[in-house]
């Protein structure tokens, strides 16, 4: 089992002919994801050929991709100026799970788009996220497939490459994953830590969760308190940014300590107070997960 | 992107918010001329991207043009929290009957623009929030409908009792919300919003931050960027498409991905070192970006060792390796470089590096320890 994506995922790639969209479509196809359609306005009727030769029909609108190919999940690789619009288009077309990879979408655009998606009962992952992967089954986004392996651990993170680091170490130690989810580094995102922890809690195969947070906001603190009350499986936590100065954006738009709020220290304290094992170094994540699983 | 008070006031003025007249000066003579033109008492205010200007002596009242010039002379060139003052705003001094606080920011928890208003103005709002939270009224605005008239009135009514003042403040709330949305602000603040002895409501200070991600569609706002207000290394990094923040340590860090970059800095500290910077070379690798990164890192004389930590996903390790080799041919790099590369095209990268005489690690902990040791020995 897994969360958010599985073998029934039928993916439409928005921005399939762009530089990032085309590269990652090939990667997703090779991984085994059912990529059923692409959307690029003005290129409807053409086909996209993945590196392994798979031909994918291109449509002008997501609505057509849903009607003709039964797409139920969308990956958005559209440039920032049009990305919030693409997210809303997907939700409007009845897509249930929209994954926004694009970085640099204006925050006020996202306040509207995130609300729009929720109003239609759909789920948004991201933006500014690496997407999600269910090892051995499907991936939506840009997480490298070769660093993952199937197993009992759920991974959720605000970061991209730091997640790869942690996942690669788990995989190297023979500890596999149910699903790895990157929720994104922006201040306004669709799916948050609590949404993802809830999904892992409902997944019978997930036996432990790794939660990788960073400075900025209070999402980790709230998730820690929620997990204590609602989650029966153990959680291992890591927070990046212990050495980050206040008031400076550390790469991610959302990674900023405002005043005295959102520090790594405050988040690690919230983890500890709520029974989450805190890894001090990335390498400790693997060892703590091992302890949790009793292996 | 932070902008100066005088620029924020221009945005407010354009939105219709009453702001006392004033202009910016870069010399005492200019300050004198502006004071003469304005007439009466003026305030001379340092224009730097920092709070605490008043406490630092960067805000002074002048009762004559000559006094304005001498204040400008004292303030220009002074340093406030490490930032040199290069401009002063000379503006009409208003008599103040009361001071309030009005601010908007994007509330991450509810994902909505949020007003915060308080009748306790002129002081640090975080302090009010900590000591007297009941003195603050918060209102989250549904971005689909914008600020509704009764909501604007409710905020004004919380601040004032006089109907005339409530009416003026209601209009200002709506104008501030419009300015916030139209300029894609991440924060807009009037502190204080004053009432004059004859009952006029005015903004005598203004603080605005613009969402960097929205600047592509706000060319006029982008022009407000003050390159003098940021360290040259950060300007250079931004132009090269790198995320860079200067810190005080001696281990220069070059990493792909913001989370991994922060975790790398933290690990430097864990092993007894201090990071010299945060630097994220971003997702798509390009040897030129690596060259720019090395130029920026080596320009910092504190750097005693340079640490690369690359986890190849979209970033291709061989591109990074090529960039390192190219940079070492193009520029003189004094500090030792230690490199950790893993992931996409790792084998090709290791070959490129070894041909050029560099060795590389594959583990994150060992490479960080090595960099910390080298920096300590230097």
């Amino acid at each position: 089992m897994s969360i958010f994506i599985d073998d029934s995922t039928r993916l439409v790639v928005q921005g399939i002919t762009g530089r990032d969209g085309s590269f990652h479509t090939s990667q997703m196809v090779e991984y085994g994801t059912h990529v059923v359609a692409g959307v690029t306005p003005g290129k409807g009727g053409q086909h996209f050929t993945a590196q392994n030769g798979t031909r994918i029909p291109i449509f002008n609108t997501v609505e057509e991709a849903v009607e003709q190919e039964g797409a139920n999940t969308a990956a958005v690789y559209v440039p920032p100026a049009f990305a919030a619009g693409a997210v809303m288009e997907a939700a409007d077309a009845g897509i249930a799970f929209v994954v926004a990879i694009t970085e640099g979408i204006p925050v006020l655009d996202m306040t509207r788009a995130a609300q729009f998606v929720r109003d239609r009962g759909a789920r948004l992952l991201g933006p500014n996220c690496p997407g999600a992967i269910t090892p051995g089954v499907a991936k939506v986004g840009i997480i490298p497939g070769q660093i993952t392996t199937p197993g009992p651990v759920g991974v959720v993170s605000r970061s991209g490459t730091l997640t790869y680091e942690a996942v690669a170490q788990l995989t190297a130690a023979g500890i596999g994953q149910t699903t790895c989810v990157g929720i994104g580094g922006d201040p306004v995102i669709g799916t948050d830590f609590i949404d993802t922890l809830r999904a892992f809690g409902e997944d019978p195969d997930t036996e432990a969760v790794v939660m990788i947070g960073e400075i900025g906001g209070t999402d980790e603190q709230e998730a820690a308190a929620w997990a204590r009350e609602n989650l029966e499986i153990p959680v291992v936590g890591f927070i990046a940014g212990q050495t980050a100065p206040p008031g400076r954006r550390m790469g991610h738009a959302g990674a900023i300590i405002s005043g005295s709020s959102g520090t790594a220290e405050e988040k690690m304290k919230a983890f500890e107070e709520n029974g989450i094992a805190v890894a001090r170094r990335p390498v400790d994540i693997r060892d703590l997960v091992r302890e949790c699983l009793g292996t | 992107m932070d902008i100066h008070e005088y620029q924020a006031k221009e945005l407010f003025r354009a939105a219709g918010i009453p702001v006392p007249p004033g202009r910016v000066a870069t010399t005492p003579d200019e300050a004198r001329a502006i004071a003469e033109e304005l007439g009466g008492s003026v305030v001379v205010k340092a224009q730097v991207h920092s709070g605490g200007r008043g406490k630092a002596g960067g805000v002074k009242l002048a009762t004559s043009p000559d006094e304005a010039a001498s204040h400008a002379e004292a303030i220009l060139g002074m340093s406030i929290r490490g930032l040199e003052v290069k401009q002063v705003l000379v503006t009409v001094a208003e008599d103040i009957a009361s001071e309030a606080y009005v601010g908007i920011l994007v509330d991450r928890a509810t994902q909505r623009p949020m007003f915060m208003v308080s009748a306790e103005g002129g002081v640090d709002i975080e302090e009010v929030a900590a000591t007297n939270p009941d003195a603050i009224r918060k209102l989250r605005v549904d971005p689909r409908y914008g600020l509704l008239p009764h909501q604007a009135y409710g905020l004004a009514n919380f601040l004032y009792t006089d109907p005339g003042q409530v009416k003026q403040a209601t209009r200002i709330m709506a104008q501030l919300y419009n300015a916030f949305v139209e300029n894609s602000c991440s924060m807009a603040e009037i502190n204080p919003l004053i009432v004059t002895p004859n009952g006029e409501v005015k903004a005598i200070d203004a603080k605005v931050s613009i969402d960097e991600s929205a600047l592509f569609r706000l060319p006029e706002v982008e022009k407000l960027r003050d390159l003098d207000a940021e360290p040259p290394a950060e300007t250079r990094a931004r132009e090269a498409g790198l995320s860079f923040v200067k810190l005080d340590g001696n281990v220069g860090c070059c990493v792909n991905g913001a989370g991994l970059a922060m975790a790398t800095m933290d690990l430097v500290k864990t092993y007894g070192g201090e990071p010299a910077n945060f630097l994220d070379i971003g997702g798509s690798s390009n040897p030129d970006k690596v060259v720019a990164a090395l130029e920026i890192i080596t320009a910092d004389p504190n750097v005693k060792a340079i640490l690369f930590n690359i986890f190849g996903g979209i970033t291709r390790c061989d591109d990074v390796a090529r960039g390192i080799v190219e940079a070492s041919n193009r520029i003189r790099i004094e500090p030792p470089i230690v490199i950790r590369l893993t992931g996409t095209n790792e084998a090709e990268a290791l070959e490129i590096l070894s041909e050029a005489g560099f060795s590389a690690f594959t583990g994150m902990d060992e490479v960080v320890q090595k960099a910390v040791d080298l920096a300590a020995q230097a």
Side-chain angles (χ1 to χ4, degrees):
Chain A
M1 284 286 285
S2 59
I3 68 168
F4 303 160
I5 50 174
D6 55 29
D7 198 44
S8 70
T9 296
R10 294 178 66 78
L11 184 71
V12 53
V13 177
Q14 291 171 266
I16 194 167
T17 53
R19 192 194 57 172
D20 293 335
S22 56
F23 177 78
H24 289 289
T25 297
S26 286
Q27 302 274 311
M28 290 189 282
V29 168
E30 268 170 49
Y31 196 72
T33 311
H34 306 303
V35 182
V36 298
V39 168
T40 296
K43 295 195 178 168
Q46 301 178 20
H47 280 79
F48 172 83
T49 307
Q51 266 165 15
N52 71 357
T54 306
R55 273 163 61 85
I56 299 163
I58 300 176
F59 299 93
N60 287 323
T61 67
V62 179
E63 192 183 5
E64 291 165 345
V66 170
E67 276 169 9
Q68 295 179 41
E69 301 296 335
N72 56 18
T73 301
V76 177
Y77 292 93
V78 170
F82 311 103
V87 164
M88 292 190 277
E89 182 193 347
D92 227 6
I95 294 286
F97 186 44
V98 186
V99 181
I101 306 300
T102 309
E103 176 174 6
I105 305 177
V107 174
L108 288 176
D109 290 10
M110 278 319 301
T111 62
R112 283 185 289 270
Q115 180 70 49
F116 187 94
V117 174
R118 263 193 296 275
D119 287 348
R120 272 149 192 79
R123 175 189 295 287
L124 169 67
L125 183 64
N128 190 13
C129 82
I133 183 166
T134 292
V137 179
K139 74 165 191 169
V140 176
I142 62 177
I143 298 175
Q146 70 275 14
I147 61 168
T148 68
T149 193
V153 178
V155 179
V156 56
S157 171
R158 272 168 72 183
S159 147
T161 49
L162 178 56
T163 314
Y164 308 165
E165 180 79 44
V167 170
Q169 289 189 12
L170 290 175
T171 297
I175 305 168
Q177 308 88 36
T178 46
T179 302
C180 305
V181 180
I183 60 173
D186 271 7
V188 171
I189 53 175
T191 298
D192 63 13
F193 277 121
I194 293 180
D195 299 329
T196 314
L197 292 180
R198 182 185 290 120
F200 278 131
E202 289 165 1
D203 173 32
D205 292 342
T206 301
E207 294 170 24
V209 178
V210 172
M211 176 170 160
I212 300 172
E214 63 191 30
I215 56 162
T218 54
D219 205 13
E220 290 86 349
Q221 296 89 310
E222 282 146 27
W226 183 90
R228 187 194 185 97
E229 297 297 319
N230 300 286
L231 200 63
E232 284 171 13
I233 50 178
V235 180
V236 172
F238 179 84
I239 300 291
Q242 296 162 51
T243 49
R248 299 302 310 270
R249 237 165 256 289
M250 306 301 279
H252 287 159
I256 181 167
I257 299 168
S258 314
S260 55
S261 156
T263 63
E265 203 186 351
E266 168 190 336
K267 288 170 191 260
M268 291 195 286
K269 190 160 159 270
F271 279 2
E272 274 165 0
E273 285 171 359
N274 289 290
I276 293 175
V278 178
R280 300 282 152 180
R281 302 174 300 167
V283 67
D284 299 330
I285 295 172
R286 175 195 69 195
D287 298 338
L288 290 171
V289 169
R290 244 195 215 128
E291 276 176 39
C292 288
L293 296 174
T295 51
Chain B
M1 179 182 85
D2 290 338
I3 61 174
H4 289 299
E5 175 196 355
Y6 79 92
Q7 298 169 321
K9 282 181 167 172
E10 287 303 325
L11 296 184
F12 286 180
R13 229 177 246 131
I17 298 171
V19 176
R23 279 199 289 126
V24 76
T26 55
T27 65
D29 285 343
E30 276 175 34
R32 182 188 290 108
I34 297 167
E36 267 166 16
E37 191 184 302
L38 294 173
S41 294
V42 295
V43 189
V44 182
K45 308 177 82 175
Q47 299 296 292
V48 283
H49 294 163
S50 163
R53 291 176 298 165
K55 280 180 202 147
V59 179
K60 287 203 158 81
L61 179 71
T63 52
S64 70
D66 282 345
E67 202 185 349
S70 73
H71 285 333
E73 178 138 36
I75 294 170
L76 287 166
M78 78 188 296
S79 170
I80 298 178
R81 292 191 188 163
L83 299 166
E84 191 192 343
V85 180
K86 295 185 172 170
Q87 306 173 89
V88 289
L89 172 65
V90 182
T91 182
V92 169
E94 298 283 347
D95 290 328
I96 298 171
S98 74
E99 297 182 293
Y101 172 92
V102 178
I104 315 179
L105 46 76
V106 178
D107 178 42
R108 294 170 64 152
T110 58
Q111 307 192 333
R112 291 182 171 190
M114 179 172 76
F115 267 93
M116 289 200 289
V117 302
S118 174
E120 291 186 24
V123 291
D124 185 355
I125 196 67
E126 274 213 1
E127 220 171 286
V128 179
T131 56
N132 189 12
D134 290 344
I136 298 175
R137 180 172 170 128
K138 292 179 179 175
L139 173 85
R140 291 164 182 93
V141 181
D142 187 328
R144 288 170 296 184
Y145 311 117
L147 182 71
L148 301 171
H150 74 275
Q151 294 173 327
Y153 181 84
L155 292 168
N157 195 50
F158 179 77
L159 297 179
Y160 305 113
T161 49
D162 174 83
Q165 290 166 23
V166 173
K167 193 175 167 190
Q168 293 174 68
T170 301
R171 197 181 307 129
I172 291 170
M173 299 298 168
Q175 290 163 332
L176 185 64
Y177 184 78
N178 289 341
F180 181 86
V181 173
E182 273 166 29
N183 297 296
S184 289
C185 299
S186 48
M187 192 268 296
E189 194 179 82
I190 302 174
N191 188 24
L193 180 71
I194 63 153
V195 180
T196 63
N198 60 8
E200 286 175 276
V201 183
K202 289 183 183 177
I204 66 165
D205 201 356
K207 199 172 163 191
V208 164
S209 250
I210 312 284
D211 177 7
E212 291 268 355
S213 298
L215 288 172
F216 69 85
R217 63 182 174 210
L218 298 167
E220 291 304 309
V221 177
E222 167 77 54
K223 284 185 202 151
L224 302 179
R225 189 190 293 278
D226 180 2
L227 293 180
D228 281 342
E230 66 182 6
E234 290 182 14
T235 309
R236 172 93 178 76
R238 186 164 38 72
E239 285 166 359
L242 307 165
S243 285
F244 174 81
V245 176
K246 164 105 176 68
L247 299 167
D248 298 327
N250 59 10
V251 179
C253 301
C254 185
V255 187
N256 68 320
L260 189 62
M262 282 189 274
T264 304
M265 285 162 43
D266 295 350
L267 205 56
V268 166
K269 179 106 174 171
T270 301
Y271 287 120
E274 288 289 342
N277 64 277
F278 166 93
L279 194 154
D280 171 11
I281 59 166
S284 53
S285 48
N286 169 341
D288 289 342
K289 273 193 176 182
V290 179
V291 175
L294 273 168
E295 280 171 358
I296 290 162
I297 292 172
T298 52
D300 177 355
N302 293 336
V303 170
K304 301 297 178 221
I306 300 169
L307 161 62
F308 272 81
N309 186 15
I310 304 298
F311 200 108
I314 325 179
T315 307
R316 289 167 39 182
C317 291
D318 56 329
D319 278 341
V320 177
R322 264 182 221 105
I324 295 171
V325 173
E326 201 174 312
S328 67
N329 292 334
R330 249 199 262 169
I331 57 172
R332 193 178 154 80
I333 302 171
E334 298 263 359
I337 301 179
V338 291
I339 304 160
R340 180 271 180 130
L341 295 155
T342 191
T344 312
N345 294 2
E346 177 182 329
E348 292 93 323
L350 296 180
E351 204 179 306
I352 292 166
L353 288 174
S354 79
E355 271 174 26
F358 290 98
S359 56
F361 298 79
T362 48
M364 177 163 167
D365 285 76
E366 46 175 339
V367 79
V368 170
Q369 273 173 305
K370 180 77 181 165
V372 170
D373 287 348
L374 286 170
Q377 285 161 19

